[in-house]
Amino acid sequence: MSKSPSNTVIPASRTQPLRLVLAQLRSSLGDLSGNYTRAHKALQFAQKENADLLVLPELFLLGYYSRDWFYNSTLIRKEQNLKEELFHSAESTTIIIGSTLPQPDGRIYNGATAYSPFGYQIDIPKHYLPFNNVFYEHRYFDVPPSPFKPIINIKDWAIGVVICEDMWRPSHILARHFEQKIDLLIIINASPFTPEKHSNRLRLVQEHAKFFDSYVAYVNIWGAQEEVVFDGQSFIVSPTGALLKQARAFGSEYLVIDLPTEASSHLSVPSSSKAEHLFHAVWESIRRYFYSLNQRKAIVGLSGGIDSAVVATIAAKVLGPHNVKAIFMPSRYTSEESRNGAEALAQNLGIEFKEISIEPILNAFELTLGISENDGVAFQNIQSRIRGSILMLESNRTGALVLNTGNKSELAVGYFTLYGDGIGAWSVLGDILKTEVYEIAQLINKRWPETIPQIILSRPPTAELAPNQSDEKDLMPYSELDPVLKEMIPLWNTPESSDERWLFKRIVSTEYKRRQTPPFTVMSDYNLGIGRMLPMTTRYLDEILSYESMENENQ
């Protein structure tokens, strides 16, 4: 239960210095004991630094995003007990930590609790609950009836606290929740990664700082939780919007700052390219997925192409080369370039390489079912399904997990085989376009020179399921395809050109295939994974295209 501060908040004056610690830490889903240990270590660090205030991210002890585990009352009770244990360890430092806020009437809020060892404990509920392509908090949490958020007083600083989605409101809307002037605005978050997200966060926080004429501290968790990955990049800005400090992306860090302070002209802000951020997000998603399942070994179907090369490389670097097995499965259509590239990559990585020809099995299908190259796609898909069966057999034998090697471009247009190259326990590149895969490959070779052989980087993409086959003949050049897919995947706009119509039809008609593919970490606002909510069976496509044709005839 919340207790109000015994002392009255005095008007903002900022006359006394305030030492602040922002704890950017990994929060593991469901690992309440481990998360508590991390929180306790952060408190010990803050008290050693003589900090006045320690800030921990949103729903830190439970882990975010817990989905239907939020309904489990035992977990909620344990979270509350651990939170109280943490508070009992506070001797001189006030703590703000994100947690659930159970109410006597059975309702539950998402929010934060501020605890001061000098006499008060305050619950601060979240007012705006996200309902977007990843999070559905209205399913689990209630909105508080009161529009006001309590003000925390430390020394003579008036401090306001908001939780993640709250901050995405315009400043004048956010101001309605505070009944007085604030000196410092704390924003606790579990904000997922997209390449453009951090610049948007910084811009909005700077607007809030100028509007409130206050410092603003933004603290975020980092780490992957299945289909979502959090990037950290916590920071603090001055009342003028100047960036004072920023934590790195995808790593734990304590940001310590004494307020008030002036912006430094020598501030070193970590910066990374889009490819670097995507690389770190993929790295973290593989690492956490295997760690959470208590798995260490992976199997990759190595084709000699760029996608499987990138997947095998990152898996070997994350899990260790001794934990990754590459299986090369040639057919009559497999080129020497593919074999040479696959073998060279495996040797460069130091991973196990096993070759299993699919020809004897393919011959058996031809003899038994009477199929042949003349059957076109059906014959091609049989080859892919043979390879999928081999990978799954090896997985069943050894207990290792199969990593899917498909990319977002292929996924969007259904350019993959169900129960063939569409199999796997985890899709590494499911939200990464083909052109972005090449960028990551170049980054890998910059970090570990000549790891991915040039023969793989330079050759045109091909599935090698038929003579002289190439992706660009079946689809179009990826340099042209990917920009169109970025605009078309949300299905907001009706296509205009014949190429766009063809792509539009493929995206809509292959929704049922995507429902049967492995999960992956989403890294874009408009993805083909967890947040996509489209029916598999619909006549909307016919309606849209026929209505557009009628409009054109009437013009």
Side-chain angles (χ1 to χ4, degrees):
M1 181 180 294
S2 297
K3 293 180 285 185
S4 299
S6 57
N7 52 328
T8 303
V9 180
I10 63 175
S13 57
R14 310 176 191 165
T15 59
Q16 299 181 50
L18 182 79
R19 174 161 287 189
L20 173 66
V21 174
L22 305 182
Q24 176 177 296
L25 302 172
R26 182 202 306 279
S27 174
S28 296
L29 199 64
D31 183 14
L32 278 75
S33 299
N35 294 337
Y36 170 80
T37 299
R38 283 182 278 274
H40 191 264
K41 287 181 179 178
L43 177 59
Q44 290 177 318
F45 172 84
Q47 295 189 145
K48 185 178 180 181
E49 290 289 318
N50 295 317
D52 298 297
L53 175 61
L54 167 67
V55 185
L56 291 151
E58 183 177 10
L59 289 169
F60 184 77
L61 294 174
L62 271 179
Y64 193 85
Y65 180 52
S66 298
R67 301 187 187 176
D68 283 5
W69 284 109
F70 284 127
Y71 291 132
N72 188 287
S73 59
T74 302
L75 287 176
I76 299 298
R77 289 198 306 273
K78 182 171 183 179
E79 177 209 29
Q80 299 302 307
N81 288 336
L82 289 174
K83 184 171 68 172
E84 292 299 322
E85 282 187 35
L86 181 67
F87 293 161
H88 291 157
S89 300
E91 299 172 355
S92 57
T93 300
T94 298
I95 304 170
I96 297 174
I97 183 171
S99 73
T100 63
L101 304 176
Q103 303 301 298
D105 59 4
R107 291 180 299 165
I108 185 169
Y109 302 145
N110 184 0
T113 299
Y115 172 81
S116 169
F118 305 110
Y120 63 81
Q121 182 172 325
I122 310 174
D123 287 343
I124 304 136
K126 187 175 184 176
H127 279 80
Y128 300 97
L129 305 181
F131 188 84
N132 52 34
N133 68 336
V134 175
F135 303 128
Y136 311 100
E137 284 197 13
H138 284 279
R139 178 181 173 94
Y140 310 109
F141 300 118
D142 295 287
V143 177
S146 171
F148 298 114
K149 290 181 180 288
I151 299 292
I152 300 162
N153 184 49
I154 302 177
K155 295 182 175 177
D156 59 355
W157 287 70
I159 302 172
V161 180
V162 296
I163 297 91
C164 205
E165 190 71 17
D166 292 341
M167 96 149 191
W168 293 95
R169 298 297 161 301
S171 299
H172 70 279
I173 299 295
L174 199 57
R176 296 175 186 173
H177 295 285
F178 301 111
E179 294 186 286
Q180 69 171 80
K181 173 75 172 65
I182 58 175
D183 301 308
L184 170 63
L185 179 63
I186 299 289
I187 307 172
I188 66 168
N189 298 269
S191 179
F193 162 79
T194 66
E196 301 80 18
K197 178 69 72 67
H198 184 65
S199 60
N200 293 333
R201 295 172 189 148
L202 181 58
R203 174 188 52 78
L204 186 58
V205 167
Q206 288 171 327
E207 291 176 5
H208 289 328
K210 295 174 184 177
F211 182 89
F212 286 103
D213 186 28
S214 73
Y215 293 92
V216 182
Y218 177 103
V219 62
N220 194 21
I221 62 170
W222 81 278
Q225 307 284 16
E226 297 179 2
E227 292 120 316
V228 184
V229 61
F230 303 95
D231 56 311
Q233 300 199 83
S234 306
F235 61 94
I236 184 166
V237 301
S238 74
T240 63
L243 184 62
L244 300 176
K245 272 195 174 183
Q246 181 176 309
R248 62 182 174 139
F250 301 105
S252 297
E253 188 171 343
Y254 297 130
L255 281 187
V256 183
I257 190 165
D258 293 310
L259 302 178
T261 188
E262 299 294 331
S264 171
S265 58
H266 305 291
L267 177 66
S268 177
V269 178
S271 63
S272 300
S273 66
K274 178 181 178 181
E276 287 174 315
H277 281 313
L278 290 174
F279 171 80
H280 286 298
V282 169
W283 178 293
E284 174 63 11
S285 70
I286 293 176
R287 200 181 75 82
R288 292 305 295 176
Y289 187 76
F290 276 74
Y291 175 83
S292 298
L293 291 176
N294 199 27
Q295 286 278 359
R296 294 294 180 270
K297 295 188 178 295
I299 296 169
V300 179
L302 207 56
S303 67
I306 191 69
D307 297 320
S308 62
V310 167
V311 170
T313 301
I314 299 178
K317 299 299 183 182
V318 173
L319 303 173
H322 58 287
N323 285 322
V324 178
K325 175 185 281 189
I327 302 181
F328 179 68
M329 296 165 283
S331 74
R332 67 196 68 167
Y333 305 115
T334 302
S335 67
E336 281 302 309
E337 284 182 319
S338 295
R339 174 178 279 103
N340 294 339
E343 285 183 329
L345 176 71
Q347 184 175 3
N348 292 345
L349 295 174
I351 61 177
E352 182 180 351
F353 181 83
K354 185 176 184 179
E355 181 173 330
I356 303 174
S357 173
I358 70 168
E359 277 300 311
I361 307 172
L362 184 59
N363 291 336
F365 271 98
E366 290 175 303
L367 181 64
T368 305
L369 301 178
I371 61 171
S372 70
E373 195 175 288
N374 295 329
D375 288 298
V377 173
F379 186 67
Q380 295 177 30
N381 286 346
I382 283 293
Q383 298 170 58
S384 182
R385 291 187 176 115
I386 291 171
R387 291 185 171 110
S389 295
I390 292 171
L391 293 175
M392 290 309 301
L393 172 63
E394 192 69 20
S395 174
N396 292 155
R397 277 177 169 172
T398 64
L401 299 181
V402 176
L403 289 175
N404 180 275
T405 60
N407 60 67
K408 184 177 185 177
S409 305
E410 297 167 345
L411 195 63
V413 297
Y415 193 62
F416 63 92
T417 303
L418 277 178
Y419 326 119
D421 58 339
I423 59 97
W426 186 255
S427 176
V428 177
L429 306 175
D431 201 22
I432 297 181
L433 296 165
K434 186 77 168 190
T435 50
E436 295 170 336
V437 176
Y438 277 100
E439 293 173 6
I440 293 173
Q442 296 288 353
L443 177 67
I444 286 171
N445 274 6
K446 183 178 179 181
R447 180 170 291 197
W448 299 286
E450 300 181 2
T451 295
I452 299 178
Q454 188 61 36
I455 192 173
I456 293 178
L457 291 168
S458 59
R459 63 183 306 214
T462 172
E464 292 190 323
L465 299 173
N468 302 314
Q469 185 180 43
S470 76
D471 291 11
E472 294 190 354
K473 287 181 182 179
D474 291 344
L475 302 171
M476 64 174 66
Y478 286 108
S479 60
E480 299 174 16
L481 175 64
D482 286 355
V484 178
L485 288 178
K486 286 181 181 179
E487 300 297 323
M488 199 170 290
I489 284 175
L491 301 182
W492 287 345
N493 300 314
T494 303
E496 298 179 0
S497 69
S498 58
D499 281 344
E500 289 179 350
R501 282 171 171 262
W502 175 77
L503 282 175
F504 192 79
K505 289 179 180 178
R506 287 202 64 150
I507 292 172
V508 173
S509 64
T510 55
E511 193 67 35
Y512 79 98
K513 294 180 70 175
R514 287 185 289 274
R515 293 282 188 95
Q516 303 177 66
T517 56
F520 55 84
T521 297
V522 297
M523 305 179 201
S524 63
D525 290 326
Y526 303 106
N527 60 78
L528 298 163
I530 182 176
R532 192 167 177 84
M533 301 182 70
L534 290 177
M536 291 184 291
T537 56
T538 172
R539 297 298 298 271
Y540 288 137
L541 180 62
D542 296 336
E543 294 288 339
I544 289 172
L545 296 181
S546 63
Y547 187 73
E548 186 192 52
S549 298
M550 181 187 70
E551 285 185 320
N552 292 335
E553 291 173 2
N554 293 334
Q555 288 179 353

